[in-house]
C-alpha cells in the first residue's frame, strides 16, 4: 500500500510533529497544550463477510471498531506518561473499502474535537485520490496545524 520511503517519510513527520508541538513546560499531558502520539494503521481491506451486505454505514462501523481496538492494544502495550488521560491518536485507513477513521483520546479533544477530525477527513479526499501517502500526509499536516494553533476553524 505504501513504499518503504513513504512509510519512513510519514514516520519522520510524526516524530517532527511530536518534537515541535508544545515544547514548553506543560509536558506531554497538559490538556491545553497536548503533545500527541500519532499512530497510523493501514490495511488493504477489512474482512466483513458477504460483499452484498457491505454498506457505507457497516464499513464505517467496522473501521471505528478496528481503530479503537488498535488504539486499546497500543495503550495496553505502551503505557502513556499521562496518568489521568492519554495523549494518543490513531489514523486508520482501509484502501479497498475506502474507509478512513481517526480516533483521538480525550486529552486531545481540546485541540482536535470530532468536528475538526471530520473536517480534515472530508478535505483529505482529493489528496487520497492522488494516493494513500498523499492523503495521510495531508491529514498529518492539518492535525499539526490544529495542534500548533496555525489552524483554528
Amino acid at each position: 500500500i505504501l513504499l518503504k520511503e513513504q512509510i519512513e517519510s510519514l514516520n519522520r513527520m510524526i516524530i517532527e510533529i511530536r518534537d515541535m508541538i508544545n515544547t514548553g513546560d506543560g509536558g506531554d499531558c497538559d490538556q491545553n497544550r497536548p503533545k500527541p502520539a500519532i499512530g497510523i494503521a493501514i490495511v488493504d481491506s477489512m474482512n466483513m463477510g458477504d460483499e452484498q451486505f457491505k454498506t457505507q454505514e457497516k464499513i464505517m462501523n467496522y473501521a471505528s471498531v478496528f481503530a479503537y481496538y488498535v488504539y486499546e492494544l497500543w495503550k495496553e502495550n505502551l503505557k502513556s506518561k499521562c496518568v489521568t488521560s492519554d495523549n494518543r491518536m490513531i489514523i486508520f485507513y482501509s484502501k479497498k473499502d475506502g474507509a478512513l477513521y481517526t480516533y483521538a483520546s480525550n486529552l486531545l479533544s481540546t485541540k482536535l474535537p470530532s468536528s475538526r477530525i471530520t473536517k480534515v477527513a472530508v478535505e483529505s479526499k482529493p489528496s487520497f485520490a492522488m494516493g494513500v501517502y498523499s492523503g495521510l500526509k495531508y491529514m498529518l499536516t492539518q492535525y499539526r496545524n490544529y495542534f500548533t494553533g496555525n489552524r483554528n476553524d
Side-chain angles (χ1 to χ4, degrees):
I1 298 173
L2 291 175
L3 300 172
K4 179 183 179 216
E5 296 79 24
Q6 292 172 324
I7 294 169
E8 290 169 349
S9 174
L10 291 172
N11 192 48
R12 278 191 305 276
M13 192 172 185
I14 289 169
I15 290 168
E16 287 169 6
I17 289 170
R18 283 227 12 109
D19 288 348
M20 74 178 287
I21 294 176
N22 302 329
T23 56
D25 295 335
D28 291 1
C29 308
D30 181 351
Q31 187 164 359
N32 295 316
R33 298 167 36 91
K35 192 176 190 98
I38 303 169
I40 299 175
I42 304 171
V43 297
D44 192 42
S45 70
M46 296 180 287
N47 183 7
M48 299 189 318
D50 196 336
E51 289 289 318
Q52 69 181 1
F53 296 111
K54 259 189 184 180
T55 63
Q56 192 61 35
E57 182 181 1
K58 187 175 181 181
I59 289 169
M60 290 313 297
N61 287 340
Y62 268 71
S64 68
V65 168
F66 188 87
Y68 186 73
Y69 177 74
V70 171
Y71 170 84
E72 285 296 316
L73 281 176
W74 183 20
K75 192 167 108 174
E76 183 179 311
N77 292 318
L78 294 170
K79 298 297 180 197
S80 174
K81 296 179 198 175
C82 306
V83 176
T84 57
S85 44
D86 191 17
N87 62 338
R88 297 183 179 127
M89 64 185 290
I90 291 283
I91 301 168
F92 170 72
Y93 182 71
S94 176
K95 184 178 179 184
K96 288 183 181 171
D97 301 305
L100 176 65
Y101 191 88
T102 299
Y103 178 82
S105 68
N106 60 344
L107 181 65
L108 304 179
S109 65
T110 301
K111 294 286 185 176
L112 198 61
S114 60
S115 60
R116 288 180 173 176
I117 290 171
T118 300
K119 186 177 199 101
V120 169
V122 170
E123 291 173 353
S124 71
K125 190 172 183 177
S127 296
F128 273 101
M130 293 186 293
V132 176
Y133 172 73
S134 296
L136 292 170
K137 187 174 177 184
Y138 176 84
M139 291 182 77
L140 288 173
T141 300
Q142 298 313 306
Y143 291 153
R144 179 191 63 212
N145 290 340
Y146 279 125
F147 285 117
T148 58
N150 291 331
R151 182 174 176 177
N152 295 308
D153 59 345

